[in-house]
């Protein structure tokens, strides 16, 4: 999987390529990793059939240190496993 994060002032977007479809009943979650190590849910999505995705992030990105991608059950409040991909800011 390939990830690119873009910041536009305090907003951000994430573009992904080559993502497999998540397991049945799961979705991808993007987490904003803050400079102090705390994490905030930034977006959820299911990729297109070609494995691509483009999502706007729902967290402030000014103080972000990284963005992390995991596959979770819908409504997850925190990551439950290791990241599938991570991009540093």
């Amino acid at each position: 999987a390939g990830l690119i994060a873009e910041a536009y002032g305090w907003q951000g977007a994430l573009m992904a390529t080559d993502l497999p479809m998540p397991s049945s009943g799961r979705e991808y979650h993007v987490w904003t990793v803050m400079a102090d190590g705390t994490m905030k849910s930034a977006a959820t999505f299911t990729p297109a059939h070609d494995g691509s995705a483009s999502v706007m992030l729902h967290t402030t990105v000014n103080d972000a240190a990284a963005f992390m991608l995991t596959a979770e059950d819908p409504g997850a409040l925190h990551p439950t496993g290791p990241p599938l991909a991570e991009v540093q800011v």
Side-chain angles (χ1 to χ4, degrees):
L3 292 181
I4 298 172
E6 293 285 336
Y8 310 98
W10 59 271
Q11 294 182 318
L14 184 101
M15 284 72 67
T17 58
D18 300 321
L19 290 173
M21 282 296 177
S23 302
S24 180
R26 296 180 58 91
E27 61 190 5
Y28 286 112
H29 284 238
V30 180
W31 305 93
T32 301
V33 182
M34 306 307 286
D36 66 3
T38 60
M39 287 185 247
K40 298 178 181 179
S41 179
T44 60
F45 68 93
T46 301
H49 292 291
D50 66 357
S52 66
S54 179
V55 295
M56 292 300 295
L57 303 178
H58 304 291
T59 58
T60 303
V61 299
N62 289 1
D63 296 324
F67 298 100
M68 188 172 77
L69 180 70
T70 63
E72 306 290 346
D73 291 332
L77 299 177
H78 55 81
T80 59
L84 302 171
E86 188 171 348
V87 60
Q88 301 294 315
V89 178

